[in-house]
Amino acid sequence: MLNYIRAELWKAFRHKGSYILLLVLAGGTALFTTLMLWAESFYEMASAATTTMLLGLLVAPLLTQLVDGGTLHTLKNEISFGISRRRIYLGKLLTGLLLGLALCLLLMGGYLGVGWVLLPHSPEQDLTALAIVGFTLLGALPVWCGVYGLCHLLAMLVPSTAGWIAIYYVFTFFGQPILVSVIAAFTGEQMSSLLQAVLMPISLLLPDVLSGWLSWEYQLWCWTIGLGWLAVMTALGLFWFGRREIK
């Protein structure tokens, strides 16, 4: 498995799409950094980073396409060389998760580093801001993993790139909210926050939720629900991919 992941990482680093994606994300981060340099202190700039957690939902399909793009043209060769479908599926999944983690650390580190150098400091407030950012990222990480698991499942099973990306965006930004609304309407009462989070994990990353719920209970929800989605999507992917006809 480790050899397969190393091979996938090598292919990703040699793919020009990797550098295009990095350039686009770095450009967006640079723009946001420039705008936030108007803040009066590093505390304000660092705190603003907590409002960007939903962007991971937009980056997930791009990162997935980087790892899984062109998979249909290479799967037959990989299988013919004796690589198991399980290794292929899990190897590409882990490769994408590692690349996503590296991107997150690079972009967030660059943003905070520039602010640290250029903006005024207050030791007590700075520690508070960094603690909040770290806490927020710790909660967002498993949710992003669950979202990536869904993207990987779609990319490995839907032949059309445009098709699976459209399914992802429609399901994530329209299907899940509609499902929550329908269930709430039929039950005739307000849906519990836990059930809403299970059906729509992105609700855990909304700024109003983050600002009013910084507790270890929040982390428990994020990790349980996020990794639960990842486990379910991975199990479904392994099941269907194992029975898919590779042409």
Side-chain angles (χ1 to χ4, degrees):
M1 179 64 76
L2 290 178
N3 288 334
Y4 187 85
I5 293 174
R6 281 196 291 266
E8 288 296 308
L9 288 172
W10 181 81
K11 287 194 296 184
F13 287 133
R14 289 181 60 85
H15 196 300
K16 64 180 181 180
S18 301
Y19 300 99
I20 294 175
L21 177 60
L22 178 59
L23 182 62
V24 171
L25 295 178
T29 302
L31 177 60
F32 185 67
T33 302
T34 302
L35 293 175
M36 291 309 304
L37 286 178
W38 292 97
E40 295 182 358
S41 66
F42 174 75
Y43 170 82
E44 292 184 7
M45 182 178 181
S47 298
T50 61
T51 65
T52 65
M53 297 300 105
L54 283 174
L55 294 179
L57 307 180
L58 302 177
V59 176
L62 303 178
L63 187 60
T64 305
Q65 178 58 22
L66 176 64
V67 177
D68 296 335
T71 293
L72 294 178
H73 303 293
T74 60
L75 281 179
K76 188 174 182 179
N77 290 334
E78 291 184 356
I79 293 174
S80 66
F81 276 111
I83 303 176
S84 69
R85 296 190 181 210
R86 180 184 179 85
R87 179 180 295 183
I88 292 172
Y89 191 92
L90 294 178
K92 291 181 180 296
L93 174 64
L94 292 174
T95 299
L97 293 176
L98 288 173
L99 288 174
L101 178 61
L103 276 175
C104 175
L105 294 176
L106 178 63
L107 297 175
M108 187 62 71
Y111 171 79
L112 294 175
V114 171
W116 182 269
V117 171
L118 298 180
L119 290 178
H121 293 276
S122 171
E124 184 175 347
Q125 287 188 326
D126 290 350
L127 289 176
T128 300
L130 291 175
I132 292 174
V133 172
F135 191 90
T136 304
L137 283 174
L138 184 63
L141 181 62
V143 177
W144 290 340
C145 289
V147 171
Y148 187 85
L150 171 62
C151 289
H152 183 56
L153 167 67
L154 294 173
M156 294 294 283
L157 299 181
V158 179
S160 169
T161 299
W164 78 257
I165 291 179
I167 292 173
Y168 166 77
Y169 282 121
V170 170
F171 175 73
T172 301
F173 295 102
F174 296 99
Q176 288 179 320
I178 291 175
L179 177 62
V180 169
S181 300
V182 169
I183 293 178
F186 274 99
T187 56
E189 57 186 21
Q190 185 176 4
M191 181 180 298
S192 70
S193 299
L194 178 58
L195 181 57
Q196 177 176 325
V198 170
L199 297 175
M200 189 172 64
I202 62 173
S203 62
L204 293 169
L205 304 182
L206 296 175
D208 58 334
V209 174
L210 291 170
S211 62
W213 191 18
L214 293 178
S215 68
W216 291 112
E217 182 184 359
Y218 171 77
Q219 292 291 341
L220 179 62
W221 281 34
C222 288
W223 281 87
T224 302
I225 294 172
L227 295 185
W229 267 76
L230 177 62
V232 170
M233 294 300 109
T234 301
L236 290 174
L238 289 171
F239 176 78
W240 284 332
F241 184 62
R243 287 155 179 77
R244 176 186 175 185
E245 182 181 357
I246 307 297
K247 299 181 179 180

